[in-house]
Amino acid sequence: MEGMQAYGAGKAGGAFDPVTFLQQPQTVLRIVSWLFSIVIFGCIANEGYINSPKEVEEYCIFNHNQNACNYGVFMGSMAFLCCMAFLALDIYFPQISSVKDRKKAVLADIGVSAFWSFMWFVGFCFLANQWQVSKQEDNPLREGGDAARAAITFSFFSIFTWAGQSFLAFQRYKLGADSALFSQDYTDPSQDAAGAPYTSFAGDDLESPGAGGGQANSDGVFDGSSGYQRQDY
């Protein structure tokens, strides 16, 4: 029974094992995607804006296209927050007792991860194109070149890390719920027991010894017809 799972996690209420959690493929991919988003955000935010000796205003190193830098910074910061949110969900996921809620979480993982994979594909193409058409005279010293190439490279890698997360979530969805252990309306037994009304042990026809029916029953038991003799004191 311990090996039975619902959407990749065992029965609710188990203890959290950080070593096992960190060894899961989905956790590894989330941490890698989290690191990639930091690199992309940091490279563009710190070295993505430069100015020429003749100009005071800073401009984006990607072909003077401010939208390219804004896109990279926005995507990096939002991907960072999204990775943190899904890591928190992965930690809480085994404690979800309802199979329906687990199904919703897995479906959300599939959709969001696929969305981010597509957005990083768009970002990679956008940044690579703008870097390719950048003019040499706009940046004769090629300042920030390493940062720009790093942002493009890790945008490319992020396509596959997020696609991998979507694939693993789809595998968990295919596992479904084990009907031998879970039902679609499964809830935590501790929560169900708290709301259950108290039921008496005996039937409703039993009465307390002090009631009138008890006295009548006593007279019937100790008469001579039952083989017992009344004791007189």
Side-chain angles (χ1 to χ4, degrees):
M1 297 293 290
E2 293 181 356
M4 295 182 179
Q5 297 183 337
Y7 295 103
K11 191 174 182 180
F16 174 71
D17 186 1
V19 176
T20 303
F21 174 75
L22 293 175
Q23 292 176 346
Q24 293 178 351
Q26 65 191 29
T27 304
V28 174
L29 284 178
R30 294 201 202 283
I31 294 176
V32 172
S33 299
W34 178 71
L35 293 175
F36 286 174
S37 65
I38 294 177
V39 172
I40 297 169
F41 172 83
C43 288
I44 298 178
N46 292 331
E47 301 185 40
Y49 300 90
I50 59 175
N51 62 326
S52 63
K54 299 179 181 180
E55 298 178 358
V56 178
E57 184 180 358
E58 293 184 340
Y59 58 86
C60 180
I61 59 176
F62 293 98
N63 194 32
H64 283 206
N65 190 344
Q66 198 73 9
N67 292 329
C69 287
N70 291 340
Y71 185 90
V73 171
F74 175 78
M75 291 291 291
S77 58
M78 293 303 297
F80 172 84
L81 296 176
C82 189
C83 286
M84 295 294 293
F86 271 99
L87 282 172
L89 177 62
D90 289 340
I91 294 175
Y92 178 71
F93 188 82
Q95 305 303 321
I96 300 177
S97 58
S98 174
V99 173
K100 292 182 178 180
D101 292 340
R102 289 191 179 190
K103 181 179 179 180
K104 293 177 183 178
V106 172
L107 288 175
D109 192 0
I110 295 174
V112 172
S113 298
F115 169 79
W116 275 107
S117 180
F118 172 75
M119 294 301 293
W120 280 122
F121 173 76
V122 174
F124 165 73
C125 295
F126 185 30
L127 295 178
N129 175 262
Q130 292 301 302
W131 179 248
Q132 185 178 9
V133 299
S134 297
K135 299 177 181 179
Q136 179 70 27
E137 56 270 20
D138 292 337
N139 187 13
L141 301 179
R142 305 301 289 179
E143 296 180 73
D146 292 338
R149 285 186 287 271
I152 295 172
T153 301
F154 286 103
S155 296
F156 177 75
F157 291 156
S158 295
I159 299 172
F160 301 100
T161 57
W162 283 99
Q165 293 179 57
S166 182
F167 174 77
L168 292 176
F170 180 71
Q171 293 296 318
R172 292 163 60 194
Y173 177 77
K174 287 175 61 178
L175 290 176
D178 193 327
S179 59
L181 181 61
F182 291 93
S183 67
Q184 291 298 318
D185 297 322
Y186 174 80
T187 55
D188 193 346
S190 61
Q191 298 176 358
D192 185 66
Y198 173 77
T199 304
S200 61
F201 176 76
D204 295 333
D205 57 339
L206 295 181
E207 298 180 358
S208 61
Q215 181 65 29
N217 189 29
S218 176
D219 294 337
V221 170
F222 291 101
D223 60 5
S225 62
S226 301
Y228 293 94
Q229 297 180 358
R230 188 181 301 274
Q231 300 293 329
D232 296 329
Y233 296 96

